[in-house]
Amino acid sequence: MLRRLALCSRFKVATGSALSRISPHFTRAASQAKFPLTRTHGKSFAHRSELKHAKRIVVKLGSAVVTRGDECGLALGRLASIVEQVAVLQNQGREMMIVTSGAVAFGKQRLRHEILLSQSVRQALHSGQNQLKEMSVPVLEARACAAAGQSGLMALYEAMFTQYSTCTAQILVTNLDFHDDQKRRNLNSTLHELLRMNIVPIINTNDAVVPPPEPNSDLQGVNVISIKDNDSLAARLAVEMKADLLIALSDVEGLYDSPPGSDDAKLIDIFYPGDQQSITYGTKSRVGIGGMEAKVKAALWALQGGTSVVIANGTHPKVTGHVITDIVEGKKVGTFFSEVKPAGPTVEQQTEMARHGGRVLAALLPEQRSEIICHLADLLTEKKDDILAANKKDMEVAVSGGKLSPPMLKRLSLSTAKLNSLAIGLRQIAVSSRDSVGQVLRRTRVANNLELEQITVPIGVLLVIFESRPDCLPQVAALAIASGNALLLKGGKEASNTNQTLHQLTQEALSIHGVKDAVQLVSTHEEVEDLCRLDKMIDLIIPRGSSQLVRDIQRAAKGIPVLGHSEGICHVYIDSEASVDKAIKIIRDSKCDYPAACNAMETLLVHRDLLRTPVFDQIIDMLRVERVKIHAGPRFASYLTFSPSEVKSLRTEYGDLECCIEVVDSMQEAIDHIHKYGSSHTDVIVTENEETAEQFLQQLDSACVFWNASTRFSDGYRFGLGAEVGISTARIHARGPVGLEGLLTTKWVLKGDGHTVADFSEQGSMKYIHENIPVIQRSSS
């Protein structure tokens, strides 16, 4: 096996160019076409989002990443995942280098096996089998282990990379290879030639001959760094080769402000050179000779030399996923080292500020929360000139860019009439806010002098992500204020100026009662997927935007509930006993009033008896007059000689002047069709038969079910909620248009005298009374 691997290795190094010509998919030229080199080295990246531009990348694999938990042998599953990710990036046109540990662990495994085998043979020959239990493995010297393990380690890498048609080459170095100018130039030349040939260099310290590190010779400036472990080796190599990015994988999630595992330890998302004094380091890794302090020093040295650095966990693939590719894609993984410190707080700090402010907000009197909302409503009209000026800037940029569709531009645009209408809605929310937080829903006497209450409380920290519609910001802010929730807002960049102005007005209103921090606007380079990872800080995510946005958030959310609907496939069923006038009005309003809305009709179900009748003809004529493109369902198409285009899927949200028409034999078949192809959003029956209508309303399992009414009535304002934070098709918490009540949850409060004890014995349970006490609701006047 090793011989075949060696032959394979020699073939690849000797014929790398030929292989590239034979397989263009893996050629450097073809890869560069997909990933052009556009960056000059000298300054590190300022933000994570820029890491996708990294051309030359060094991946450092710590001992804890490469070795198994017993420190004998390699973690093959982790290595296979890492090799796959490096090969993927290499084949994208990037230049990948690996600094690896593992030779000592691999050698230790091999030598232990040889020693035990040798001892067992000798003892079996000379001492008998009864002495086998007393065999012990002597302490193995690290240099000998490295010498025995290095060839096997490289053979393993070679075999793994071969699966991806990627060549590798081994380079062993010591401190002298960097301190001696001639040797350093030779090393540099060799590495550049390997990269040019599309070969992945695998570098390791030559632990078989390396001298022990000199004390206090760690980092002595930009031009000198002592190679005392693979952290310092990776940093020195990255700067020497002018790498864009150094990814240092270890057995911790990243850099913490105190030892990981301690109660108050917090993962640092972005680390700046001036923050060293705020860090308390813990113990070293279970293996290797470095620790987090050594990693940080090496990372800062590389950063000073112009290489960006990320320290992340490479030991838990199920948790970290494809950690290397995630980092290069700019996802929030591990700790990112940056020399550019933003002027404002990080999103984690913003979330903490919002949570603290939200708790103070929830403790205010209902009248005080109402006063904040009314003041915000006043500001919308008083400062309308400022708002419209900011909105004009956003509109000009959007129009010149040409990337927004007409419906999106319409949503982005604000007017005096919109602001006045918005202010009216906020005042309605202010009135309803007086009966929200702290309301007693149920009161029970469970024993003498022991009363149990269920009361309404805020959910906690809400993350609302919205596109295009800046009027969403004050609406959602008012609902959060009314319900006492902290709020984190992430708006689309197309409305950045308008959102900034509206957020400033919101904070001005909150300031009248000292809760300015309760509503935060995320204006940093955070990606939506990164925000969805804050599962320990955010309690509920509410997406407001396209179905694609909702689906993306639902996939990205890690342990955070998402309130929303990914699709709005709404149906209108025309029964055999429907009124033609009602049917035409309802279909026109459902489809043509605002076809891009999530509550617009997408599928029209028609009872079979209506085909080839004047009723059906009038419906078709109306749709043609309104310029609605019709798609035929399979059954409808079978009835026609010349039919419209047959639908590819009966589960389609058109979002435009298009709809599907399908034929059903009965009301029950219409229900079955909606259950199979609908999205549980809003569905309608049009009929004059009350019994048929009642069966439809009872049996159909959608968030909103209407009788002789347009699907467009599925709206918070139309429901009298004042405003809606979104529409939910979930099965728990809230369904349909979600207003103020949907942002509240409950908690149980038990009031006792200190003498009643909880007795769970069979006899003791008879003591409990469970007597319901009438709840007197507070008047909202």
Side-chain angles (χ1 to χ4, degrees), residues 11-238:
F11 170 78
K12 287 187 176 183
V13 174
T15 62
S17 300
L19 181 63
S20 297
R21 289 194 296 271
I22 294 171
S23 179
H25 177 70
F26 297 108
T27 65
R28 174 62 58 195
S31 299
Q32 286 176 341
K34 293 187 293 182
F35 189 82
L37 178 58
T38 57
R39 178 176 180 267
T40 56
H41 186 80
K43 189 175 182 181
S44 61
F45 295 117
H47 307 286
R48 281 185 185 269
S49 58
E50 299 172 351
L51 295 180
K52 60 179 175 288
H53 300 301
K55 170 73 174 178
R56 184 170 292 169
I57 301 172
V58 176
V59 178
K60 180 263 175 182
L61 307 179
S63 300
V65 176
V66 177
T67 61
R68 298 200 310 251
D70 60 5
E71 302 179 22
C72 290
L74 304 182
L76 297 180
R78 288 201 292 267
L79 271 181
S81 175
I82 289 168
V83 166
E84 179 183 16
Q85 295 172 71
V86 171
V88 166
L89 294 173
Q90 177 83 358
N91 291 328
Q92 287 178 358
R94 305 178 198 267
E95 297 175 341
M96 305 299 297
M97 293 178 280
I98 294 178
V99 175
T100 183
S101 302
V104 174
F106 202 172
K108 183 184 294 185
Q109 182 187 37
R110 294 180 64 183
L111 292 181
R112 286 185 63 182
H113 176 77
E114 292 296 330
I115 292 171
L116 288 174
L117 180 63
S118 175
Q119 286 182 346
S120 64
V121 171
R122 287 198 304 270
Q123 292 191 14
L125 292 174
H126 299 99
S127 305
Q129 294 293 331
N130 60 336
Q131 299 295 325
L132 288 176
K133 296 180 181 179
E134 300 177 3
M135 288 191 302
S136 61
V137 178
V139 177
L140 298 175
E141 207 272 330
R143 291 192 184 92
C145 292
Q150 187 64 42
S151 59
L153 178 64
M154 275 306 303
L156 182 62
Y157 273 121
E158 188 70 42
M160 287 182 171
F161 273 106
T162 298
Q163 305 304 312
Y164 303 96
S165 300
T166 301
C167 305
T168 61
Q170 173 182 264
I171 296 180
L172 297 177
V173 297
T174 65
N175 222 350
L176 296 176
D177 295 312
F178 290 96
H179 286 186
D180 183 273
D181 290 340
Q182 184 59 49
K183 290 183 177 181
R184 188 173 70 251
R185 285 193 294 270
N186 292 342
L187 174 62
N188 191 299
S189 176
T190 300
L191 289 170
H192 275 94
E193 181 63 14
L194 291 173
L195 295 177
R196 187 189 67 80
M197 295 172 63
N198 200 19
I199 295 174
V200 176
I202 298 179
I203 305 104
N204 195 1
T205 51
N206 192 353
D207 293 326
V209 299
V210 67
E214 299 177 15
N216 303 321
S217 63
D218 198 1
L219 307 175
Q220 303 170 10
V222 170
N223 297 320
V224 179
I225 180 171
S226 176
I227 308 301
K228 57 189 296 184
D229 52 35
N230 274 347
D231 294 311
S232 52
L233 169 60
R236 180 62 189 266
L237 183 72

Side-chain angles (χ1 to χ4, degrees), residues 656-676:
D656 204 345
L657 285 174
E658 297 181 62
C659 74
C660 169
I661 297 180
E662 182 58 308
V663 176
V664 292
D665 291 337
S666 64
M667 179 270 295
Q668 187 60 53
E669 190 173 311
I671 291 176
D672 293 340
H673 178 101
I674 295 170
H675 282 162
K676 184 174 182 179

